[in-house]
Amino acid sequence: MNISVDLTFSPLQDDYEGHIINFIKRLRDSGLTVIENPLATQVYGDYDEVMGLLTVEMKRSFKEVGIGLFYIKMVKTDRSDYVPDF
């Protein structure tokens, strides 16, 4: 089963930028489809692979920051090929 995940990582500290960059780089290294935009990062792929990756990397990111938030939206389909038709 394929899923699409839209997530935003928000470390609540002054040196937040490096933590976000490192998190995104680790997602990119996974081999899954990862697309970034200025507001969020999308990860697409098999449910077990995506959730396994997010479990590991979100935990790692939480350990590296004082306080952090993850905003997550998920849909049960691979929407990586979405193109607006308007």
Side-chain angles (χ1 to χ4, degrees):
M1 167 179 46
N2 286 327
I3 62 170
S4 301
V5 178
D6 179 271
L7 62 134
T8 302
F9 177 37
S10 300
L12 301 179
Q13 55 194 52
D14 291 337
D15 64 338
Y16 64 90
E17 197 169 281
H19 295 287
I20 295 168
I21 291 169
N22 291 336
F23 176 72
I24 293 171
K25 284 182 176 180
R26 292 192 304 263
L27 295 181
R28 286 180 187 163
D29 290 342
S30 71
L32 293 169
T33 300
V34 177
I35 300 173
E36 303 108 33
N37 67 52
L39 300 176
T41 301
Q42 289 83 40
V43 183
Y44 304 92
D46 176 74
Y47 180 92
D48 292 326
E49 290 180 52
V50 172
M51 295 308 291
L53 171 68
L54 293 180
T55 297
V56 169
E57 296 305 339
M58 289 171 61
K59 183 176 183 178
R60 181 175 174 178
S61 293
F62 274 152
K63 286 182 176 181
E64 293 174 351
V65 301
I67 299 173
L69 301 171
F70 278 99
Y71 301 94
I72 303 172
K73 295 183 280 185
M74 298 171 55
V75 63
K76 183 188 160 191
T77 186
D78 184 333
R79 302 287 298 175
S80 61
D81 61 354
Y82 171 76
V83 177
D85 61 358
F86 54 89

